[in-house]
């Protein structure tokens, strides 16, 4: 059993033969398939729903707010369904990557940056999502809020889930 910080790392383990089977997000699965990976999907395990979200400082309420004041700094894990969610939120708001700063970081880096106040939000899941929702932001001292979750993004036809491969 390997717990990985993102689906990109799981793909590396599958491609190297270190894993025979994995549950990984639909985004990393698609990235691996696009690169010609030899693994195959066996089943769709579940849809992400409210388990993943773009969490932001309280002053950022709607996706269009990410463009204010020179653009928000948003982080997401590398080749993850939350990276895809962040891109979907940006696209749905009619913005592009020139309007916000989107960086790819590990969950641990996201938590540290939140605590330091160097990011405005992150697309994340699990312990990192809980951290942003319960720990004060390093600048304004407020806890984060769910701006958009995976269930909402799915309504925009940007569906995410986990694949058994």
């Amino acid at each position: 059993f390997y717990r990985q910080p993102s689906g990109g790392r799981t793909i590396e383990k599958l491609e190297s033969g270190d894993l025979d089977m994995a549950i990984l997000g639909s985004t990393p699965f698609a990235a691996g398939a696009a690169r010609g990976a030899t693994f195959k999907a066996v089943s769709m395990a579940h849809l992400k729903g409210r388990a993943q979200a773009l969490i932001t400082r309280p002053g950022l309420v709607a996706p269009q707010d990410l463009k204010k004041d020179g653009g928000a700094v948003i982080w997401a894990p590398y080749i993850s369904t939350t990276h895809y969610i962040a891109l979907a939120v940006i696209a749905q708001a009619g913005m592009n990557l020139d309007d916000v700063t989107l960086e790819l970081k590990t969950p641990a880096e996201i938590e540290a940056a939140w605590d330091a106040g160097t990011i405005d939000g992150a697309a994340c899941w699990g312990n990192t999502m809980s951290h942003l929702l319960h720990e004060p932001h390093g600048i304004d001292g407020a806890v984060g809020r769910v701006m958009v979750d995976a269930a909402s993004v799915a309504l925009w036809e940007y569906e995410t889930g986990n694949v058994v491969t």
Side-chain angles (χ1 to χ4, degrees), residues 19-39:
L19 280 176
D20 296 321
M21 183 178 214
I23 296 177
L24 70 154
S26 52
T27 302
F29 178 82
R35 288 196 315 262
T38 57
F39 53 79

Side-chain angles (χ1 to χ4, degrees), residues 54-105:
L54 174 58
I55 308 298
T56 59
R57 294 184 298 107
L60 302 172
V61 178
Q64 296 78 6
D65 294 341
L66 298 174
K67 192 174 180 175
K68 291 181 182 176
D69 302 323
V73 176
I74 303 296
W75 287 7
Y78 171 70
I79 309 179
S80 66
T81 49
T82 54
H83 179 196
Y84 181 74
I85 289 167
L87 292 171
V89 170
I90 292 165
Q92 184 70 16
M95 297 183 294
N96 61 51
L97 293 175
D98 294 328
D99 297 320
V100 299
T101 300
L102 178 61
E103 295 188 27
L104 305 178
K105 303 291 181 175

Side-chain angles (χ1 to χ4, degrees), residues 143-164:
V143 297
R145 58 174 299 284
V146 174
M147 177 184 276
V148 178
D149 62 21
S152 298
V153 171
L155 296 175
W156 305 333
E157 299 184 9
Y158 295 96
E159 192 75 63
T160 58
N162 275 352
V163 176
V164 178

